Amino acid sequence: MILYAIVCCKFIQYNKPMFQLNNAAFAVSTHTILQPTNILFKKGVVTTLLGHNGCGKSTLMKLLSRQNLPSQGQVLLDDQEVTQLKQKDFALKVAYLPQHPPITEGVTVTELVRFGRYPWKGAFGRYTDHDHSLVAQAIAKVGLEGYQERFVATLSGGERQRAWVAMLLAQQSECILLDEPTSALDISHQHELLALIRELNESLGLTVIMVLHDINMAAKFSDHLIALHSGKVIAQGAPEDIMKVDVLKQIYGMDLALFPHPITGHPISYIP
């Protein structure tokens, strides 16, 4: 009975929405970039946004991260409208890594990761032993032990992205938002970073919402896929629901073929 209760508790928690969009839209002047949208982002789930350039993915991420405010409708976080939350309260729940992180000249890995503790300290707070321990743990989780005193600007692309992810972990938020985290990485480092994000989701119960361009990577490392086209959600579901020839053509506007992975049997898309 105890085990059953624990499993049920986790099921209920992971099926509760972290974010909810109620008829939310975004427009600049007379140009609507994101059409009125209704979406639920569940807790403890890796959700990936897909679609061609300019389809509204990054705009949606900016609404979730409060970088932009909706032109109409609501964006809710744990049933509270995000515009009503104080900046610190929002940061304690959500950590955001933009598509182009700020330049970090003269900043070491430890200093960058320590920035993640800022929401817990305030402008004049001092870092405690607990903060330093969390920073060290975050660096270890992303595999950057031995790099603590290296300047972030001297790291490889993959190492630099790991350092930014460590900063998000140190923030100890329930949800991380990642806008194209693999865009500047080669295929090896893309796989490495996404495997790390997936491991953190599974081991920490972290909610992850990210934007990716590679449909195969998205299908491999995500629980739920949401596809946009011209500012509208045109398809969403589990990877096996999206990895179908007719759905892929609807998303990308071109014919893609599929073949089964020789080991797992999962469908892989390619241009015939």
Side-chain angles (χ1 to χ4, degrees):
M1 288 295 294
I2 295 175
L3 178 59
Y4 176 78
I6 293 173
V7 171
C8 286
C9 180
K10 287 186 175 181
F11 178 80
I12 292 170
Q13 175 189 348
Y14 284 3
N15 279 270
K16 288 179 63 179
M18 171 65 72
F19 280 102
Q20 182 172 346
L21 273 69
N22 293 333
N23 208 38
F26 183 76
V28 176
S29 186
T30 59
H31 178 57
T32 299
I33 300 174
L34 184 70
Q35 303 288 338
T37 301
N38 296 287
I39 309 178
L40 293 177
F41 293 91
K42 294 180 180 178
K43 290 187 177 182
V45 168
V46 177
T47 302
T48 296
L49 306 179
L50 300 166
H52 59 78
N53 290 337
C55 69
K57 303 184 302 295
S58 290
T59 297
L60 177 50
M61 289 292 280
K62 288 179 179 177
L63 292 182
L64 297 177
S65 61
R66 300 207 314 183
Q67 303 299 301
N68 288 336
L69 299 179
S71 305
Q72 72 170 63
Q74 295 177 310
V75 179
L76 305 179
L77 172 63
D78 280 338
D79 296 325
Q80 290 183 277
E81 195 163 355
V82 295
T83 55
Q84 302 301 314
L85 292 168
K86 295 180 180 179
Q87 182 63 36
K88 180 177 179 180
D89 294 335
F90 183 80
L92 296 180
K93 286 182 174 288
V94 179
Y96 170 58
L97 183 61
Q99 184 176 349
H100 302 291
I103 297 172
T104 51
E105 291 289 345
V107 176
T108 67
V109 169
T110 295
E111 289 169 338
L112 176 65
V113 178
R114 194 182 294 142
F115 290 153
R117 298 303 301 157
Y118 180 80
W120 299 89
K121 304 310 296 177
F124 302 104
R126 293 184 178 181
Y127 293 105
T128 65
D129 290 342
H130 179 62
D131 293 311
H132 293 305
S133 175
L134 289 174
V135 169
Q137 289 174 34
I139 291 172
K141 280 185 181 295
V142 302
L144 288 180
E145 307 99 317
Y147 290 74
Q148 291 94 328
E149 301 310 314
R150 284 275 301 274
F151 290 112
V152 176
T154 68
L155 301 179
S156 68
E159 292 165 348
R160 193 176 303 126
Q161 288 296 77
R162 282 175 170 265
W164 281 105
V165 170
M167 187 198 73
L168 302 187
L169 291 179
Q171 190 169 323
Q172 288 203 307
S173 301
E174 300 173 36
C175 174
I176 60 174
L177 306 175
L178 305 166
D179 192 354
E180 297 191 33
T182 62
S183 61
L185 303 181
D186 59 45
I187 188 68
S188 174
H189 285 104
Q190 287 182 33
H191 189 278
E192 186 180 82
L193 180 65
L194 292 175
L196 169 65
I197 291 168
R198 185 51 150 169
E199 190 277 325
L200 294 171
N201 157 257
E202 294 176 347
S203 63
L204 303 176
L206 198 62
T207 302
V208 179
I209 303 171
M210 59 183 172
V211 172
L212 293 177
H213 280 293
D214 190 318
I215 180 64
N216 291 317
M217 289 286 195
K220 179 173 182 177
F221 292 106
S222 306
D223 300 303
H224 191 76
L225 303 177
I226 298 176
L228 292 95
H229 193 291
S230 303
K232 297 180 180 179
V233 174
I234 59 170
Q236 64 174 305
E240 57 267 27
D241 298 325
I242 302 300
M243 295 294 281
K244 296 178 179 178
V245 171
D246 58 334
V247 178
L248 294 178
K249 183 169 185 178
Q250 186 183 9
I251 297 170
Y252 295 106
M254 62 183 298
D255 291 318
L256 294 171
L258 298 168
F259 70 91
H261 189 284
I263 298 176
T264 66
H266 294 155
I268 299 174
S269 70
Y270 67 98
I271 300 174

